[in-house]
């Protein structure tokens, strides 16, 4: 009866698996799936069709194990490179400009590198995922040598770009540090969520190794004991558990206690938050109009600029005009008018020639815009931008006087042998005073001949660079204009304690503007005024009590969930062990019913083989008569049990 029940149970299970396999065949081609995995990972078009059994302890050769750290290194470097480049998006325009100076071609080179780094990270991640899926299916890993060569190339490229960043663009790392200050609380909470997701495969693998060790200990024989003493298989299983579980729990513990050492300016009480920083339009509003043109400055005024920032050159006939680059090829049509002079310094041209150049078609009619996230221009703005000319300094002063806006500019010294080489500062001061603008609207940034400027125009607001507090006090300067990367790492608290008014440049990203707001910076210079002006509250801002609540809540919930995941895998593995032990005992030892049948057959044989016992048992029956015993004849065939 017991055998019949086992057969019925097995037939029911076989029926279920038959239905399940038929569903797989209808909806999912398993053979094609394995072919796809092995084809992508090992460059093999045919997959070995093996019956899926318990997963082996190690699914690759020693050579594959030795190469696996290189794959992890490539993944780590490529992902880190993507993170660095994404977080430094505030500097994309500056990077494109530097590449333009070297190549003479304006393009979104920063996006090209971002795409390249993303492809490298995606490629290494894909190989890692394919390897995991093959291990899951119980297949032996073999990474094709094409992939191995490409992995080494990925590592070399990442190291090369890191060397470039560390050698020629160290400021990128300063930007990364500032971004981590803003994103740290959110990265902390997100990392705990990621660890919760990773707990599922980690728990599965750890419990699987534990079950593997128990089954090996249960099935072990004397010969296997001797062999295991040499191979030390159980020790290897424990070592794998430690290698996988210990880093996971150490990282989880560090995430749980991270807020004790975390600092973010955006975590503060609401009543301590300073006012919203004011805006200086960097060359006007260069995303809405051609930079350093009257259209650009007018757009900046329309979007609430507190001040206007520009760059001043002196023409050969002593006329101050607005231009940033050291040549005219990027922002004018000098290549069409005078191609041989496109690389000449702007101060070597007379104003009569400069005033004839077009300074807007490069912005309105070019397919490649100066900023990759610019919005399309309207037809009216496109027509207006296409007719822009190079403005004089007096044009900007007129607009500033009319709109009561501050004016700040970098003054470029003329080239040697220029007529105004020795007196360009006094020339510009006289032009400013002759324009009739109110002196307090001029924020004087150049450091040349400050004594003359103070005596001639005492109403100018003088601005310093990243000077010491003693020098600022000595020169009677109460405002500084500094690069944001340098300020946050060099004396921000000292400047604020000394009541120094701070303006930082160039701030284009909302997260960086939010950092300046939370740090109580008074003003910022930006290209993206139309976006930043719409921010009414700093991004990523939270109070300490709210962050503490989220921290404790997420820690408790994640700990409970991770415990539940480990318990679930432990319970499922224990059920599998019971089934395997039952199958093992069924195949190795006879069942109870079989033992009972064998016992009865043996007793019957003993009775048949003993005549005295048979006679005695018959005589003991009620109503029986005594009979003479007859000898038992031997049968021709022996009785079978």
């Amino acid at each position: 009866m017991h055998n019949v029940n086992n057969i019925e149970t097995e037939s029911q299970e076989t029926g279920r698996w038959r239905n399940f396999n038929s569903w797989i065949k209808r909806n999912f081609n398993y053979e094609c799936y394995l072919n796809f995995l092995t084809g992508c990972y090992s460059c093999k078009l045919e997959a070995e069709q093996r019956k899926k059994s318990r997963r082996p302890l190690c699914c690759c050769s020693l050579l594959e194990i030795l190469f696996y750290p290189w794959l992890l290194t490539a993944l780590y470097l490529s992902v880190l490179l993507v993170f660095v480049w994404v977080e430094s998006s505030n500097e994309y325009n500056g990077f494109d400009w530097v590449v333009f100076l070297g190549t003479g071609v304006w393009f979104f080179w920063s996006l090209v590198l971002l795409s390249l780094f993303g492809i490298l990270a995606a490629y290494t991640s894909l190989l890692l995922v394919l390897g995991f899926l093959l291990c899951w299916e119980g297949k032996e890993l073999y990474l094709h040598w094409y992939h191995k060569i490409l992995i080494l190339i990925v590592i070399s490229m990442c190291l090369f770009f890191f060397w470039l960043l560390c050698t020629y663009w160290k400021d990128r790392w300063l930007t990364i540090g500032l971004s981590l200050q803003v994103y740290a609380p959110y990265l902390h909470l997100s990392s705990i969520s990621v660890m919760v997701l990773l707990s599922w495969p980690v728990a599965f693998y750890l419990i699987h190794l534990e079950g593997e060790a128990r089954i090996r200990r249960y099935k072990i024989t004397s010969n296997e004991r001797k062999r295991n003493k040499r191979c030390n298989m159980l020790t290897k299983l424990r070592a794998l558990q430690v290698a996988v579980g210990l880093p996971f729990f150490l990282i989880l513990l560090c995430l749980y206690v991270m807020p004790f050492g975390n600092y973010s300016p955006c975590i503060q009480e609401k009543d301590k938050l300073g006012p919203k920083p004011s805006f200086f339009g960097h060359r006007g509003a260069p995303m809405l109009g051609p930079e350093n043109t009257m259209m650009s400055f007018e757009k900046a005024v329309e979007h609430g600029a507190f001040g206007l920032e520009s760059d001043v050159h002196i023409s050969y006939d002593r006329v101050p005009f607005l231009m940033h680059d050291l040549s005219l090829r990027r922002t004018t049509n000098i290549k069409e008018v005078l191609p041989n002079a496109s690389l000449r310094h702007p101060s070597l041209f007379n104003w009569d020639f400069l005033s004839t150049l077009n300074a807007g078609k490069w912005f309105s009619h070019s397919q490649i815009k100066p900023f990759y996230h610019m919005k399309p221009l309207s037809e009216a703005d496109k027509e207006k931008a296409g007719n822009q000319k190079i403005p004089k300094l007096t044009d900007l002063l007129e607009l500033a006087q009319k709109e009561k806006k501050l004016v700040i500019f970098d003054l470029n010294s003329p080239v040697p042998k220029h007529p105004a080489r020795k007196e360009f500062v006094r020339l510009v001061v006289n032009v400013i005073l002759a324009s009739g603008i109110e002196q307090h609207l001029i924020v004087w940034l150049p450091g040349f001949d400050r004594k003359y400027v103070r005596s001639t125009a005492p109403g100018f607001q003088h601005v310093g660079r990243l000077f010491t507090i003693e020098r600022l006090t000595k020169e009677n300067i109460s405002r500084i204009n500094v690069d944001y990367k340098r300020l946050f790492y060099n004396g921000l608290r000292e400047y604020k304690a000394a009541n120094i008014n701070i303006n930082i440049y160039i701030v284009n990203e909302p997260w960086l503007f939010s950092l300046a707001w939370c740090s109580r910076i008074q003003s910022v210079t930006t290209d993206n005024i139309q976006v930043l002006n719409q921010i009414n509250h700093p991004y990523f801002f939270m109070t300490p009590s709210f962050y503490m609540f989220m921290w404790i809540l997420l820690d408790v919930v994640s700990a409970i969930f991770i415990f539940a995941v480990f318990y679930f895998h432990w319970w499922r593995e224990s059920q599998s062990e019971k089934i395997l032990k039952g199958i093992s005992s069924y195949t190795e030892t006879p069942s109870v019913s079989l033992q009972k049948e064998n016992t009865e057959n043996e007793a019957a044989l003993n009775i048949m083989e003993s005549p005295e016992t048979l006679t005695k048992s018959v005589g003991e029956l009620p109503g029986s008569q005594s009979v003479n015993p007859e000898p038992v004849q031997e049968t021709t065939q022996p009785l079978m049990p």
Side-chain angles (χ1 to χ4, degrees):
M1 189 68 181
H2 184 71
N3 293 336
V4 174
N5 293 335
N6 288 339
I7 293 173
E8 291 178 354
T9 303
E10 292 177 0
S11 64
Q12 292 176 0
E13 292 180 356
T14 304
R16 294 194 192 101
W17 280 108
R18 186 182 299 111
N19 295 333
F20 183 72
N21 289 332
S22 63
W23 178 85
I24 291 178
K25 292 178 180 179
R26 288 196 310 267
N27 299 277
F28 186 76
N29 194 324
Y30 183 71
E31 182 179 356
C32 292
Y33 169 68
L34 290 181
N35 285 335
F36 172 76
L37 293 181
T38 55
C40 294
Y41 193 84
S42 304
C43 298
K44 295 180 179 179
L45 297 180
E46 296 182 358
E48 297 180 0
Q49 301 298 320
R50 298 179 181 177
K51 185 177 180 180
K52 187 176 178 181
S53 60
R54 289 185 62 86
R55 294 167 182 81
L57 175 63
C58 184
C59 55
C60 54
S61 63
L62 179 61
L63 181 61
E64 297 297 322
I65 295 176
L66 294 177
F67 189 81
Y68 199 74
W70 293 97
L71 177 59
L72 294 178
T73 302
L75 176 63
Y76 172 75
L77 292 177
S78 58
V79 171
L80 180 60
L81 199 56
V82 171
F83 175 77
V84 170
W85 206 254
V86 169
E87 290 303 310
S88 58
S89 59
N90 191 79
E91 308 295 325
Y92 282 177
N93 185 258
F95 176 81
D96 296 338
W97 178 72
V98 170
V99 177
F100 170 79
L101 295 180
T103 61
V105 178
W106 182 265
F107 193 70
F108 298 139
W109 302 108
S110 53
L111 296 184
V112 172
L113 289 182
L114 179 62
S115 303
L116 175 62
F117 300 153
I119 292 173
L120 298 181
Y123 171 69
T124 52
S125 302
L126 180 61
L127 288 182
L128 197 66
V129 171
L130 290 175
F132 174 78
L133 293 177
L134 287 173
C135 287
W136 183 271
E137 296 297 333
K139 299 298 180 181
E140 184 177 358
L141 294 184
Y142 171 70
L143 187 64
H144 198 271
W145 62 274
Y146 284 162
H147 290 308
K148 293 178 180 178
I149 294 176
L150 289 177
I151 288 298
L152 297 179
I153 293 176
V154 169
I155 295 177
S156 303
M157 292 178 62
C158 292
L159 292 177
F160 172 73
F161 282 108
F162 276 122
W163 174 78
L164 289 179
L165 289 176
C166 295
T167 305
Y168 299 103
W169 214 334
K170 297 180 181 180
D171 292 347
R172 291 273 179 172
W173 301 108
L174 302 179
T175 305
I176 300 304
L178 294 178
S179 68
L180 290 177
Q181 290 185 17
V182 177
Y183 293 117
Y186 297 88
L187 288 176
H188 164 237
L189 300 179
S190 302
S191 299
I192 294 179
S193 303
V194 172
M195 295 300 291
V196 171
L197 296 178
L198 289 177
S199 65
W200 185 272
V202 171
F204 170 80
Y205 192 64
L206 292 179
I207 302 300
H208 170 69
L209 291 177
E210 181 66 24
E212 190 77 21
R214 290 181 181 179
I215 291 176
R216 287 177 182 272
R217 195 182 298 112
Y218 177 77
K219 291 184 175 181
I220 200 167
T221 62
S222 59
N223 294 331
E224 289 177 347
R225 284 194 184 96
K226 296 178 182 179
R227 186 168 64 251
N228 283 338
K229 287 181 180 179
R230 296 192 301 267
C231 299
N232 208 5
M233 184 61 68
L234 296 179
T235 304
K236 291 181 179 180
L237 288 170
R238 297 301 182 191
L240 280 176
Q241 285 182 305
V242 173
V244 174
L246 184 61
F248 176 81
F249 287 106
L250 287 179
I251 294 174
L252 187 63
L253 179 62
C254 292
L255 290 176
Y256 281 163
V257 300
M258 180 182 290
F260 289 111
N262 185 22
Y263 167 75
S264 176
C266 294
I267 299 179
Q268 57 178 295
E269 299 295 342
K270 292 183 179 180
D271 55 352
K272 295 183 179 180
L273 183 64
K276 182 179 179 178
S278 304
F279 299 105
F280 278 88
H282 185 238
R283 308 172 198 167
M287 294 188 185
L288 304 175
E291 65 176 59
N292 280 327
T293 62
M294 296 309 299
M295 177 184 176
S296 180
F297 293 117
E298 290 170 358
K299 291 290 185 180
V301 172
E302 291 177 7
H303 287 82
F306 175 71
L308 304 174
E309 189 273 345
S310 186
D311 309 271
V312 177
H313 284 275
I314 310 296
S315 67
Y316 201 77
D317 52 353
R318 305 166 65 92
V319 176
F321 65 97
L322 307 183
M323 179 63 60
H324 173 265
D325 293 3
L326 300 181
S327 67
L328 302 172
R329 58 176 175 167
R330 183 174 68 90
T331 57
T332 67
N333 61 339
I334 184 70
K335 288 185 178 181
E336 300 175 2
V337 178
L338 202 61
N340 296 332
S342 60
L343 297 178
R344 291 176 58 184
H345 196 276
S347 62
L348 297 178
F349 295 94
N350 290 324
W351 174 248
D352 292 338
F353 173 76
L354 294 172
S355 61
T356 61
L357 296 177
N358 185 285
K361 285 186 177 180
W362 69 275
F363 180 87
S364 60
H365 293 77
S366 176
Q367 295 181 354
I368 303 176
K369 305 299 181 182
F371 297 89
Y372 70 93
H373 52 287
M374 279 178 51
K375 292 183 178 180
L377 298 176
S378 63
E379 292 298 327
D381 287 343
K382 185 179 295 186
E383 182 180 357
K384 184 178 181 180
N387 296 324
Q388 293 298 304
K389 301 292 185 179
I390 299 176
K392 294 188 294 185
L393 176 60
T394 54
D395 298 331
L396 175 61
L397 298 176
E398 256 180 57
L399 178 64
Q401 176 62 32
K402 177 183 177 181
E403 302 292 341
K404 303 299 180 184
K405 302 297 181 182
L406 297 180
V407 175
I408 183 173
F409 55 85
D410 286 309
L411 182 57
N412 296 276
S413 60
V415 296
K417 298 182 180 180
H418 191 279
R421 171 71 176 182
K422 298 181 179 179
E423 53 181 5
F424 68 97
V425 174
R426 302 189 179 191
L427 172 64
V428 172
V429 171
N430 292 331
V431 170
I432 293 174
L433 295 178
S435 67
I437 189 174
E438 300 175 23
Q439 292 189 15
H440 71 274
L441 295 178
I442 301 299
V443 181
W444 186 261
L445 181 60
F448 312 108
D449 208 356
R450 281 191 182 270
K451 292 184 179 180
Y452 170 80
V453 177
R454 287 184 182 277
S455 61
T456 306
F460 287 4
Q461 300 183 48
H462 288 262
V463 181
R465 303 285 186 177
L466 199 62
F467 300 153
T468 61
I469 302 296
E470 293 76 11
R471 181 177 176 181
L472 294 176
T473 304
K474 181 179 179 180
E475 297 184 8
N476 193 21
I477 296 176
S478 60
R479 183 192 295 265
I480 59 174
N481 181 60
V482 296
D483 187 352
Y484 72 92
K485 297 182 288 294
R486 301 295 181 182
L487 173 67
F488 284 96
Y489 295 98
N490 295 280
L492 174 60
R493 296 181 179 179
E494 289 76 7
Y495 288 126
K496 292 169 62 177
N499 294 324
I500 301 297
N501 197 299
I502 302 173
N503 179 74
I504 59 175
Y505 62 89
I506 300 169
V507 177
N508 292 333
E509 294 297 322
W511 71 264
L512 189 55
F513 177 71
S514 300
L515 177 63
W517 191 343
C518 295
S519 302
R520 303 180 69 88
I521 302 297
Q522 285 77 17
S523 60
V524 299
T525 301
T526 179
D527 297 318
N528 201 14
I529 189 173
Q530 71 279 1
V531 173
L532 301 185
N533 190 41
Q534 297 178 358
I535 299 177
N536 298 320
H537 195 269
Y539 292 173
F540 313 106
F541 178 85
M542 65 173 68
T543 60
S545 58
F546 178 77
Y547 180 50
M548 183 70 66
F549 170 76
M550 292 298 299
W551 167 38
I552 297 176
L553 177 64
L554 195 58
D555 284 0
V556 173
V557 172
S558 62
I560 295 174
F561 193 86
I562 291 174
F563 176 79
V565 168
F566 273 83
Y567 179 79
F568 170 76
H569 283 289
W570 174 81
W571 173 81
R572 192 174 68 171
E573 188 70 23
S574 63
Q575 297 298 319
S576 301
E577 290 179 10
K578 290 180 181 179
I579 295 174
L580 289 175
K581 289 180 180 179
I583 295 174
S584 176
S585 62
Y586 178 79
T587 56
E588 294 177 1
T589 60
S591 63
V592 176
S593 59
L594 290 177
Q595 290 179 358
K596 186 176 180 180
E597 291 177 0
N598 292 337
T599 304
E600 294 176 353
N601 292 334
E602 290 176 1
L605 286 175
N606 292 333
I607 292 174
M608 292 179 181
E609 291 174 359
S610 177
E612 294 81 3
T613 305
L614 179 61
T615 304
K616 183 178 179 181
S617 60
V618 171
E620 291 177 355
L621 293 175
S624 61
Q625 298 179 357
S626 60
V627 293
N628 294 327
E630 295 180 359
V632 179
Q633 296 179 358
E634 295 183 358
T635 58
T636 57
Q637 294 181 355
L639 296 176
M640 299 298 292

